[in-house]
Amino acid sequence: MKIYTGRGDEGMTDLRNMDRVSKASARIEAYGTVDEVNAILGSVRPTGYDDIDDQLQQAQNHLHIVQADFANPDPDEGDPVVRSEHVDTVEDWIDDWEEELDPLEDFILPGGSEPGAKIHHARAVCRRAERRAVAFASEEASVNDTAIVYLNRLSDALFTVARVVNKREGVREENPTY
């Protein structure tokens, strides 16, 4: 596969079904922002915690499915799409990680250890990806709502795992002052 084709030089790109769309379209903005989340997660691994690294790698694979899902307005039977099982997996991670944490009683400032801060950054970009996906879904009917739910749940998971990493690293959570 050749890296450059020149097909995008005029500001257009191909969807999976080979329809041409503007690179500024809501669809492209949504899956481009998902790509940002994925790249940030790639910069976090390895965290030094195998269990977390394994789950972040799974999340990266899930994010590729989200991108494929958003890039395909008319998925066929065998095409990658986000399913409820992906959401269930992330919810299981959250439940497991919360057992390791003290209950959250106040807002916390994002930051902490290097991997914790990067995961907080990924969480913030994941929230933006979700907002972009909601905007995209408001413009087009062919959007898999489960992919949007997935992004919502993943951002919750990233918040939770950032807290876990910071706790394992011995970094105290800081609360905002008003």
Side-chain angles (χ1 to χ4, degrees):
M1 183 170 108
K2 199 170 188 177
I3 295 298
Y4 66 92
T5 63
R7 289 186 46 82
D9 291 351
E10 300 299 319
M12 302 291 284
T13 192
D14 296 320
L15 297 178
R16 180 161 166 94
N17 65 0
M18 298 311 290
D19 284 354
R20 302 280 292 160
V21 298
S22 168
K23 290 182 177 183
S25 76
R27 179 186 297 271
I28 304 306
E29 185 63 32
Y31 75 70
T33 308
V34 171
D35 188 35
E36 286 183 62
V37 177
N38 207 338
I40 295 168
L41 292 181
S43 76
V44 173
R45 291 188 308 119
T47 62
Y49 303 100
D50 291 342
D51 59 335
I52 289 173
D53 291 344
D54 289 345
Q55 290 171 340
L56 292 178
Q57 183 179 28
Q58 286 181 58
Q60 286 188 279
N61 283 304
H62 292 170
L63 290 168
H64 267 279
I65 296 169
V66 173
Q67 288 180 264
D69 199 331
F70 286 170
N72 193 355
D74 301 308
D76 291 327
E77 182 68 28
D79 289 338
V81 294
V82 179
R83 302 188 192 291
S84 61
E85 297 82 35
H86 295 105
V87 175
D88 294 343
T89 296
V90 174
E91 288 176 351
D92 289 344
W93 296 343
I94 295 168
D95 292 343
D96 290 344
W97 288 329
E98 283 186 331
E99 290 179 14
E100 200 171 324
L101 295 169
D102 296 327
L104 189 63
E105 296 181 11
D106 292 303
F107 288 107
I108 61 170
L109 296 174
S113 65
E114 184 176 344
K118 285 181 178 180
I119 295 168
H120 273 299
H121 182 201
R123 184 245 337 134
V125 176
C126 191
R127 288 278 187 220
R128 179 163 35 95
E130 179 189 4
R131 292 189 304 272
R132 298 292 191 261
V134 168
F136 157 48
S138 73
E139 294 179 10
E140 296 192 35
S142 63
V143 179
N144 178 1
D145 291 336
T146 305
I148 297 172
V149 171
Y150 178 85
L151 292 172
N152 183 11
R153 207 67 80 249
L154 181 62
S155 63
D156 294 338
L158 294 173
F159 176 80
T160 306
V161 76
R163 292 186 66 216
V164 168
V165 167
N166 283 336
K167 182 176 181 180
R168 289 180 184 182
E169 294 284 312
V171 176
R172 187 182 64 78
E173 292 179 334
E174 296 176 350
N175 304 106
T177 57
Y178 299 98

